Amino acid sequence: MVTLTDDGLVLEPTTGSDEFTGWSVNVDGERRGTIALREETRSSVSVRWNTGTGDGALPIATRAVRLVLEHAFASLGVRRVEARVPVERAGDVRAASIAGMRREGIVRGAADEPDRVLMARLVDDPPAASRDGFIALLNAGLPTKRVISQGLLRDPDGRVMLCELTYKSEWDLPGGVVEVGESPAVGLVREISEELGVDVSVKSLLTVNWLPAWRGWDDACIFLFDLGVVDPAITETMTLQPTEIRSVQWCDADRVAERATGAAVELLAAVADGDLPTYREAPLQPE
């Protein structure tokens, strides 16, 4: 056990259990909290701390965590340090991030246990103060928005193609969720190829339609692309992905209103009106 220092902040070893290696956190001679490491595997440890929530708690926690990270990598030879911070402790999540720990996800709590933010730093991560390190920390912590690409495919009579889905009773436009690093247009072509077995050509973007959270689904942005007018016999050449698509149907306005999801009905009605803005927000659908 060694004493760790950073200007006026001093981590003094404490007598603890065999499970933990701990320090008291002292600032200018005043005890402000505790911090400890626990061995998880041969190459990884976890860190936990308590420096309160009062004035100065954030910079104290940040400096203490940074000191312990440096000690773990340089002196203990570990390759990963992780922390599981209760989600309500936003200040400690921020302190860990500033110290260089990346957000990796949420560990759900069982029974009365709180959900916890899983954060970690690896020995070969770029320095937190460097450009690469700063971008990596932001990418790990910034919110993400679910993006869905859908295609408007019509026949010469103006009917719209809808997919009968295996996982919900309502029908919907062809398309799906865009993958990480994939453009919305490329994602639409891929989804239709995977689910319907045909290749389509994206014509233009009709609108971006924001969907509020609904029936347990998080909110999302739908990119609606025009896929043009095709021979209705195209459905005869399709190979449907059986785990997701039961059938495809050509639907007029009445059929759309009868069978489509509420969001699709509202969106297609706006398309039919002809005054479609580049960006729009869909109304909340009834549960």
Side-chain angles (χ1 to χ4, degrees), residues 249-267:
Q249 305 287 340
W250 291 108
C251 301
D252 59 19
D254 290 339
R255 190 66 163 160
V256 168
E258 176 188 354
R259 298 306 305 264
T261 65
V265 171
E266 191 272 335
L267 178 58

Side-chain angles (χ1 to χ4, degrees), residues 22-261:
W23 295 264
S24 64
V25 180
N26 303 276
V27 179
D28 297 329
E30 178 185 357
R31 183 183 174 103
R32 298 295 297 270
T34 59
I35 189 167
L37 292 174
R38 184 177 72 175
E39 183 179 359
E40 301 294 340
T41 69
R42 288 183 179 180
S43 61
S44 69
V45 296
S46 61
V47 58
R48 59 193 65 190
W49 65 94
N50 185 356
T51 57
T53 57
D55 293 341
L58 175 60
I60 291 172
T62 300
R63 294 167 66 194
V65 171
R66 187 180 292 130
L67 274 176
V68 168
L69 287 173
E70 293 171 355
H71 174 70
F73 292 136
S75 301
L76 303 182
V78 302
R79 301 193 60 80
R80 172 184 170 89
V81 181
E82 70 173 42
R84 301 189 178 200
V85 186
V87 294
E88 67 271 13
R89 285 170 47 185
D92 284 332
V93 172
R94 179 162 173 74
S97 179
I98 297 172
M101 304 185 78
R102 298 188 197 179
R103 182 176 179 137
E104 295 186 342
I106 297 293
V107 180
R108 294 179 298 156
D112 295 332
E113 288 291 317
D115 290 351
R116 297 176 184 272
V117 182
L118 176 62
M119 307 187 73
R121 183 165 182 82
L122 304 184
V123 66
D124 52 1
D125 282 342
S130 69
R131 179 181 183 276
D132 288 345
F134 181 70
I135 291 174
L137 290 170
L138 283 182
N139 279 336
L142 288 174
T144 57
K145 182 72 66 180
R146 181 174 294 125
V147 173
I148 300 169
S149 283
Q150 291 185 328
L152 184 60
L153 197 63
R154 289 170 282 199
D155 72 0
D157 294 328
R159 296 181 300 173
V160 175
M161 178 182 289
L162 293 180
C163 297
E164 181 184 3
L165 305 170
T166 62
Y167 51 89
K168 58 184 175 183
S169 58
E170 302 95 341
W171 299 356
D172 211 345
L173 292 162
V177 176
V178 178
E179 295 181 351
V180 175
E182 183 179 56
S183 79
V186 170
L188 177 60
V189 173
R190 175 189 52 76
E191 282 285 336
I192 291 179
S193 176
E194 291 175 354
E195 295 183 355
L196 304 183
V198 294
D199 295 326
V200 296
S201 176
V202 174
K203 307 300 182 185
S204 61
L205 177 68
L206 296 174
T207 190
V208 176
N209 187 43
W210 177 74
L211 294 181
W214 178 69
R215 288 189 183 175
W217 295 98
D218 290 341
D219 70 314
C221 285
I222 290 181
F223 284 67
L224 179 65
F225 290 98
D226 181 14
L227 298 180
V229 177
V230 298
D231 187 327
I234 191 175
T235 57
E236 299 173 8
T237 69
M238 291 181 175
T239 302
L240 306 184
Q241 187 178 64
T243 57
E244 296 194 36
I245 311 295
R246 285 198 177 94
S247 68
V248 291
Q249 305 287 340
W250 291 108
C251 301
D252 59 19
D254 290 339
R255 190 66 163 160
V256 168
E258 176 188 354
R259 298 306 305 264
T261 65

